Every structure is written in structure tokens, then in C-alpha cells.
Amino acid sequence: KAGVTQTPRYLIKTRGQQVTLSCSPISGHRSVSWYQQTPGQGLQFLFEYFSETQRNKGNFPGRFSGRQFSNSRSEMNVSTLELGDSALYLCASHPPIDGELFFGEGSRLTVL
Amino acid sequence: GNSVTQMEGPVTLSEEAFLTINCTYTATGYPSLFWYVQYPGEGLQLLLKATKADDKGSNKGFEATYRKETTSFHLEKGSVQVSDSAVYFCALSERQRAQKLVFGQGTRLTINP
């Protein structure tokens, strides 16, 4: 069974640009969550999608947005990038019934 | 709001030593508690979990007991191996919101042969 797949794994952007990250959940998982990991703030919840609807949202500015498609794949977008957005962005999928989160390997974003 | 505080690292031990990584939490209601592990260059993997008071989660020789009276979920292992070197995260989730985890700051563990 394939795991959670995130693309791209690494990317470099400059301030003011925007970026889109992609996440393919485990087959059969309809819930996808996104987390930001930085050395200073640690792991922080960004948002969660289920059946194409955002169910929960963390405390991040509106520059951070996401969406989920009918096949459960999810994307997150960060607009007007700032240096502080440099981070590892982790996606996790969740099975239909109670169970653990399965994390991808992450997309490492560097903003110059 | 909910929060998790865990022992600051880094922690360096010799192989076969006893490991304890402390974790305490603040939460309303009755959260579920987790330990996740992150190996270099990888995402997070669930190590163990407990969903109610006095539950003991265990996996790969690691154990943690959900202590409601002390709001703690300390991670222990009797004899660590070099392959246990990683970053360990304590986390909690509210009931019915299993996808929204609140993490501690992480503890980097290095095991020397």
C-alpha cells in the first residue's frame, strides 16, 4: 500500500513569490491535514480537509490556503512568500475510522 | 488552549542505557496522547498512543502511560539502541478532532555505540 506522497520534496523561492505544494493521501483516506515544521515554532497545524471541505484551520494568516479534490488529493498554497515561511511542510492522511495519522516525508521550502 | 511541554534536548546516551523523555500536557476534556518519531530526512511515524487515563501504549520496546492525575505521558525504554537515534515528539488531540494534533517541541535523541 503506497504511503502519503508529497511533491515537490525540495524547492527554493524568493520573497514575494507564491508556492503550491501537493499531497496524495493513502488510498481510501479522505481526510488530509497539513502541518508546518520550523526550528523555532516546531510543528504547527495548518488546516484539515475532508471530502473537499475544510474542517479545521490553525492560526496562520490568509496567505496560507488549501484545497482538496474529489480524489482526496490536496494542495496547499502560500502567497507573497516571506523569509519566515521557510519550513518543512508535512501532509498527513487519516483513515475513515479512528486511527493514526500517516505522514508524508514533507516538502522543504526555502525562501530567499 | 491545549499545549504539550516535553523535555528539552538534545539527549545523548550510550547504547543499552535507560531512556526517559518527559512529557506533560494541558488540555480541556480527555485528549488522546501520542508519541511520534522522526528519523533524519523522513516524516513523522506514530510510535505509540493512549486514548484514556491509565492506558499504556507500547511499541518497539518503548512504553508510555497516560497519567491524568499528573497530566503526563512520559516515554521510556529499558535499553536503547543506536537505531533509536531520532527526534521524538509528544502530541495530543482532542476527542473527535484526531487530525488536529498539538505537538511538543521535540527532543533529539542520540545514542552512541
Side-chain angles (χ1 to χ4, degrees):
Chain A
K1 194 173 189 180
V4 177
T5 304
Q6 292 188 245
T7 56
R9 289 292 312 278
Y10 303 91
L11 66 167
I12 300 173
K13 294 285 187 178
T14 56
R15 279 180 298 174
Q17 288 187 310
Q18 73 166 16
V19 65
T20 299
L21 308 178
S22 179
C23 172
S24 293
I26 292 172
S27 178
H29 291 192
R30 293 163 60 192
S31 170
V32 172
S33 303
W34 289 88
Y35 290 80
Q36 182 196 62
Q37 185 177 19
T38 60
Q41 299 299 316
L43 279 154
Q44 294 186 287
F45 174 80
L46 278 157
F47 26 63
E48 182 230 340
Y49 287 88
F50 177 80
S51 292
E52 303 178 65
T53 301
Q54 187 181 88
R55 286 206 299 196
N56 286 298
K57 188 177 190 306
N59 189 25
F60 278 82
R63 300 185 297 108
F64 292 80
S65 62
R67 59 178 176 169
Q68 186 179 33
F69 303 95
S70 58
N71 61 358
S72 295
R73 189 177 69 85
S74 177
E75 289 181 347
M76 66 163 284
N77 183 275
V78 188
S79 62
T80 320
L81 284 166
E82 301 177 359
L83 296 179
D85 297 333
S86 295
L88 180 67
Y89 290 89
L90 291 165
C91 170
S93 73
H94 189 267
I97 57 176
D98 190 31
E100 65 181 272
L101 289 183
F102 292 84
F103 283 85
E105 294 183 321
S107 293
R108 184 166 295 281
L109 170 65
T110 300
V111 181
L112 302 177
Chain B
N2 297 337
S3 66
V4 175
T5 302
Q6 64 181 99
M7 168 178 171
E8 286 197 27
V11 174
T12 302
L13 296 172
S14 298
E15 205 165 21
E16 299 184 3
F18 183 85
L19 169 71
T20 300
I21 301 178
N22 291 338
C23 171
T24 57
Y25 67 90
T26 302
T28 54
Y30 303 93
S32 294
L33 302 174
F34 307 84
W35 277 100
Y36 278 84
V37 59
Q38 187 175 35
Y39 297 102
E42 298 184 13
L44 277 73
Q45 301 174 26
L46 178 67
L47 182 59
L48 53 84
K49 68 177 183 181
T51 57
K52 61 182 187 295
D54 299 324
D55 266 2
K56 176 186 283 189
S58 61
N59 186 25
K60 298 180 182 179
F62 290 89
E63 293 183 340
T65 301
Y66 190 143
R67 300 287 189 199
K68 192 172 188 302
E69 63 276 12
T70 55
T71 61
S72 65
F73 193 55
H74 304 321
L75 182 68
E76 296 181 336
K77 186 175 186 182
S79 177
V80 292
Q81 306 300 313
V82 172
S83 57
D84 294 327
S85 298
V87 181
Y88 292 81
F89 293 91
C90 185
L92 68 79
S93 71
E94 301 173 8
R95 296 285 183 214
Q96 308 307 322
R97 290 193 176 189
Q99 300 82 352
K100 184 179 179 181
L101 292 171
V102 175
F103 286 92
Q105 63 268 45
T107 301
R108 182 174 299 278
L109 174 66
T110 301
I111 307 299
N112 293 322

